Amino acid sequence: MSAQATARLLVSGEVQGVAFRFWTRRKAEAAGVRGWVRNLPDGTVEAVVQGDRPAVDSVIAWCRKGPAAAAVTEVETEWVHDAPEFTGFAIRY
Protein backbone atom coordinates (compact mmCIF):
# COMPACT_ATOMS: atom_id res chain seq x y z
CA MET A 1 0.00 0.00 0.00
CA SER A 2 1.34 3.42 -0.94
CA ALA A 3 1.65 6.25 1.53
CA GLN A 4 -1.35 8.55 1.82
CA ALA A 5 -0.85 12.11 0.62
CA THR A 6 -2.94 15.29 0.52
CA ALA A 7 -2.26 18.14 -1.88
CA ARG A 8 -3.93 21.55 -2.18
CA LEU A 9 -3.89 22.82 -5.75
CA LEU A 10 -4.46 26.31 -7.10
CA VAL A 11 -4.97 26.17 -10.87
CA SER A 12 -4.61 29.39 -12.90
CA GLY A 13 -5.39 30.25 -16.51
CA GLU A 14 -8.57 29.80 -18.52
CA VAL A 15 -10.02 27.31 -16.04
CA GLN A 16 -13.56 28.54 -15.31
CA GLY A 17 -16.44 28.04 -17.73
CA VAL A 18 -14.67 25.07 -19.35
CA ALA A 19 -16.05 22.21 -17.16
CA PHE A 20 -12.79 22.05 -15.18
CA ARG A 21 -14.53 21.07 -11.92
CA PHE A 22 -16.62 18.37 -13.61
CA TRP A 23 -13.61 16.77 -15.30
CA THR A 24 -11.43 17.08 -12.20
CA ARG A 25 -14.03 15.17 -10.19
CA ARG A 26 -14.26 12.55 -12.94
CA LYS A 27 -10.47 12.09 -13.06
CA ALA A 28 -10.24 12.01 -9.25
CA GLU A 29 -12.93 9.36 -8.96
CA ALA A 30 -11.26 7.28 -11.69
CA ALA A 31 -7.94 7.54 -9.82
CA GLY A 32 -9.60 6.56 -6.53
CA VAL A 33 -8.73 9.77 -4.69
CA ARG A 34 -10.87 11.83 -2.31
CA GLY A 35 -11.29 15.56 -1.74
CA TRP A 36 -13.00 18.45 -3.49
CA VAL A 37 -12.76 21.12 -6.19
CA ARG A 38 -14.24 24.63 -6.45
CA ASN A 39 -14.09 27.86 -8.43
CA LEU A 40 -12.64 30.89 -6.63
CA PRO A 41 -13.82 34.49 -7.19
CA ASP A 42 -10.45 35.47 -8.74
CA GLY A 43 -10.94 33.09 -11.69
CA THR A 44 -8.75 30.26 -10.38
CA VAL A 45 -9.79 26.74 -9.39
CA GLU A 46 -8.86 25.29 -6.00
CA ALA A 47 -8.75 21.57 -5.29
CA VAL A 48 -7.75 19.31 -2.43
CA VAL A 49 -6.75 15.81 -3.53
CA GLN A 50 -6.13 12.97 -1.06
CA GLY A 51 -5.18 9.34 -1.51
CA ASP A 52 -2.26 7.11 -2.48
CA ARG A 53 0.64 9.31 -3.60
CA PRO A 54 0.81 7.90 -7.18
CA ALA A 55 -2.94 8.51 -7.62
CA VAL A 56 -2.66 12.07 -6.24
CA ASP A 57 0.29 12.70 -8.57
CA SER A 58 -1.76 11.50 -11.55
CA VAL A 59 -4.57 13.97 -10.77
CA ILE A 60 -2.03 16.79 -10.34
CA ALA A 61 -0.52 15.90 -13.74
CA TRP A 62 -3.98 15.97 -15.32
CA CYS A 63 -4.71 19.39 -13.75
CA ARG A 64 -1.63 20.79 -15.50
CA LYS A 65 -3.48 20.20 -18.81
CA GLY A 66 -7.14 20.21 -17.78
CA PRO A 67 -10.05 19.56 -20.14
CA ALA A 68 -9.77 20.34 -23.85
CA ALA A 69 -11.28 23.84 -23.56
CA ALA A 70 -8.96 24.90 -20.69
CA ALA A 71 -5.71 26.81 -20.98
CA VAL A 72 -3.82 26.12 -17.74
CA THR A 73 -0.94 28.51 -17.06
CA GLU A 74 0.09 27.34 -13.59
CA VAL A 75 -0.67 24.75 -10.91
CA GLU A 76 0.57 25.70 -7.45
CA THR A 77 0.86 22.59 -5.27
CA GLU A 78 1.04 22.61 -1.48
CA TRP A 79 1.43 19.32 0.40
CA VAL A 80 -0.80 19.30 3.48
CA HIS A 81 0.34 17.14 6.40
CA ASP A 82 -2.50 17.48 8.93
CA ALA A 83 -5.48 17.32 6.59
CA PRO A 84 -8.81 15.87 7.68
CA GLU A 85 -9.82 12.56 6.12
CA PHE A 86 -12.16 13.08 3.16
CA THR A 87 -14.79 10.67 1.86
CA GLY A 88 -15.56 10.79 -1.85
CA PHE A 89 -14.77 13.67 -4.20
CA ALA A 90 -17.10 16.66 -4.34
CA ILE A 91 -17.63 19.79 -6.36
CA ARG A 92 -18.01 22.65 -3.89
CA TYR A 93 -20.01 25.75 -4.65
Side-chain angles (χ1 to χ4, degrees):
M1 180 186 206
S2 300
Q4 292 290 292
T6 303
R8 178 184 173 268
L9 311 176
L10 192 60
V11 186
S12 302
E14 189 67 38
V15 294
Q16 289 191 14
V18 294
F20 201 97
R21 292 173 300 166
F22 170 82
W23 285 107
T24 300
R25 180 176 65 184
R26 201 140 185 217
K27 295 295 179 183
E29 289 173 346
V33 301
R34 303 169 307 281
W36 51 266
V37 62
R38 68 179 173 183
N39 285 344
L40 294 179
D42 66 359
T44 60
V45 170
E46 179 184 25
V48 173
V49 183
Q50 181 178 75
D52 290 342
R53 179 65 189 258
V56 169
D57 287 340
S58 74
V59 174
I60 294 169
W62 180 84
C63 284
R64 288 190 181 110
K65 295 182 291 254
V72 176
T73 57
E74 183 179 9
V75 177
E76 295 177 40
T77 304
E78 173 190 355
W79 295 99
V80 181
H81 300 289
D82 291 324
E85 187 88 11
F86 295 103
T87 56
F89 198 93
I91 294 176
R92 291 189 174 176
Y93 297 94

